[in-house]
Amino acid sequence: MSTSVGTATLAAEQVVPVEPPIQHDRAALPELIQATQLVRAMQARDTFNVDGARATVAVLDTGLRTTHVDFAGRVVAQRNFTADNNGDSENAADGNGHGTNVSGIVCAGEIHTGMAPRAKLVAVKVLANSGGGSFTQIRDALQWVLDNRAQHGISVVSMSLGASDNRDTDADLDGDAIGALFRELTAAGVVCCVAAGNDYFAFGSAQGMSYPAIFRETLSVGAVYDANEGGFSYQSGAQAISTAPDRITPFSQRLHRKVGGDCETDIFAPGAPITSSGINNDRGESIQHGTSQATPVIAGIVALLQDFCIRVTGALPSVDEIRDWLVRSAVDIIDGDDEQDNVQHSGLRYGRVDAMAALTACAKDLARRQLADAGDPTVAV
């Protein structure tokens, strides 16, 4: 169902409400062990001497526990587009936990260690403490990000949210306001990472992704398991009988290039389960499953790539360059080669992010470019 907002159109009205994570008062896992090991994030940070400090990530979610020690000194702005917190536009406090969990995966830097532990953070509350929200609020938030990106240095957007749909193209969304904002942000060098959706089982194992991940300008993200964690059953009805590294989660929506063309699911990342920052107190912890958790893994790795590029070249890379480094260096995974679950599989090949390989691809390209700029006749561009 489409809704008209002023002169602009939105393809959906309501966001699928996000579930609150499980909360703990104290941290049991001081690092994001699940995600970090599989994607080689620590190795990438150490090898290339990056931590995301030159990047700023805007997380559009349920807000943030801004006083958590994991984010100390790095929350550069906050904005509230909901009626929560007495409607105070400058108060993005998180009463749900989803946004704080997601933000910790991006850039926790004290008790927990996110992908980019020194990246700066802009907390944008577009979802209520109940977990719900409207795409009108998300449109307004993206416009705010576009208008304020220079002031706050925003170079990445992380959106772990979506509509209850399963699309295989954006060809029918030319007039969509959020799509238009994605195009403007992309042109400005801001990478928009968006969750593919959690309804693969609910849609009968049909290929597709939810709105707004379906837009080709986004960096759309699906979820895999990182290790043998046993079996899981989800509220949607999806079930993993057993789990292992790089098995696609049974809930993760997915769209192969053979079906979706440029609207394909760009990359997969660990998303079940992920331990991160919590909202019970300033040292709390939370744990959750979803493409919501895989998306900030990618957002954090994007921040590492941007950090490296700015240090080496003095400028942000383009969104196309970021996508190329991530996709070209990804680890091959096959949908159905060893999954044990209750959904159908295509047998098609996707890519799972490898932070070390992505930084290596980036560094090689930048070195080749520098040689070419210096006039080295042996270097082709």
Side-chain angles (χ1 to χ4, degrees):
M1 178 179 181
S2 295
T3 180
S4 179
V5 183
T7 58
T9 298
L10 297 173
E13 295 179 4
Q14 299 299 315
V15 179
V16 176
V18 298
E19 299 175 13
I22 297 170
Q23 299 289 337
H24 299 290
D25 289 340
R26 291 185 294 178
L29 293 173
E31 301 251 353
L32 273 67
I33 293 172
Q34 302 104 327
T36 299
Q37 292 183 348
L38 186 65
V39 304
R40 300 199 292 170
M42 184 180 298
Q43 184 179 352
R45 293 194 299 263
D46 291 345
T47 301
F48 292 94
N49 191 27
V50 291
D51 54 15
R54 296 172 181 84
T56 301
V57 183
V59 177
L60 277 60
D61 212 286
T62 62
L64 180 73
R65 186 176 179 97
T66 58
T67 57
H68 198 293
V69 296
D70 278 341
F71 312 111
R74 292 183 292 115
V75 182
V76 298
Q78 55 182 303
R79 192 76 175 180
N80 177 25
F81 289 87
T82 76
D84 289 346
N85 308 326
N86 296 316
D88 182 355
S89 64
E90 301 298 325
N91 184 356
D94 182 8
N96 176 284
H98 190 271
T100 298
N101 175 278
V102 164
S103 297
I105 296 169
V106 176
C107 64
E110 182 62 31
I111 296 175
H112 305 90
T113 303
M115 297 298 106
R118 296 268 70 83
K120 293 177 283 296
L121 187 61
V122 174
V124 186
K125 185 175 176 66
V126 296
L127 303 179
N129 294 337
S130 64
S134 76
F135 281 103
T136 303
Q137 294 166 323
I138 291 166
R139 177 209 60 186
D140 294 346
L142 286 171
Q143 184 66 58
W144 182 88
V145 169
L146 182 64
D147 294 342
N148 292 275
R149 72 191 187 283
Q151 177 183 350
H152 300 306
I154 298 169
S155 53
V156 190
V157 170
S158 184
M159 296 173 59
S160 293
L161 51 82
S164 180
D165 57 5
N166 194 51
R167 297 169 175 267
D168 61 12
T169 184
D170 64 0
D172 58 335
L173 300 174
D174 283 348
D176 189 89
I178 287 177
L181 286 163
F182 281 150
R183 287 188 287 275
E184 290 191 69
L185 286 163
T186 297
V190 179
V191 182
C192 298
C193 306
V194 187
N198 296 327
D199 287 332
Y200 186 63
F201 175 86
F203 283 105
S205 303
Q207 286 200 37
M209 290 190 296
S210 66
Y211 169 89
I214 192 62
F215 286 109
R216 65 192 67 201
E217 290 80 13
T218 70
L219 198 58
S220 53
V221 186
V224 299
Y225 294 107
D226 70 284
N228 180 356
E229 301 276 3
F232 295 104
S233 295
Y234 300 96
Q235 289 186 6
S236 66
Q239 293 181 344
I241 298 165
S242 66
T243 55
D246 284 335
R247 290 183 183 176
I248 299 177
T249 64
F251 56 77
S252 180
Q253 286 169 253
R254 63 207 73 169
L255 179 61
H256 197 271
R257 189 171 188 83
K258 289 184 177 180
V259 178
D262 289 342
C263 297
E264 67 183 322
T265 305
D266 292 296
I267 198 79
F268 282 72
I274 302 292
T275 301
S276 182
S277 315
I279 61 169
N280 279 6
N281 56 61
D282 289 346
R283 304 182 73 84
E285 183 172 272
S286 65
I287 186 166
Q288 197 163 27
H289 296 236
T291 55
S292 282
Q293 281 58 52
T295 300
V297 171
I298 298 300
I301 294 172
V302 169
L304 296 179
L305 287 164
Q306 292 175 335
D307 190 12
F308 182 77
C309 286
I310 293 170
R311 191 184 78 214
V312 172
T313 70
L316 277 174
S318 70
V319 175
D320 283 345
E321 287 175 315
I322 291 283
R323 190 191 315 275
D324 177 64
W325 293 326
L326 291 171
V327 172
R328 175 158 47 101
S329 65
V331 174
D332 284 344
I333 57 173
I334 297 175
D335 178 18
D337 60 342
D338 62 350
E339 280 79 4
Q340 297 182 7
D341 51 34
N342 66 342
V343 296
Q344 297 176 11
H345 299 278
S346 64
L348 295 171
R349 190 179 306 272
Y350 290 93
R352 187 263 297 157
V353 71
D354 183 323
M356 181 66 191
L359 263 295
T360 300
C362 169
K364 287 182 176 179
D365 280 1
L366 295 185
R368 187 179 300 112
R369 189 178 307 165
Q370 288 177 329
L371 286 171
D373 290 345
D376 187 333
T378 66
V379 178
V381 293

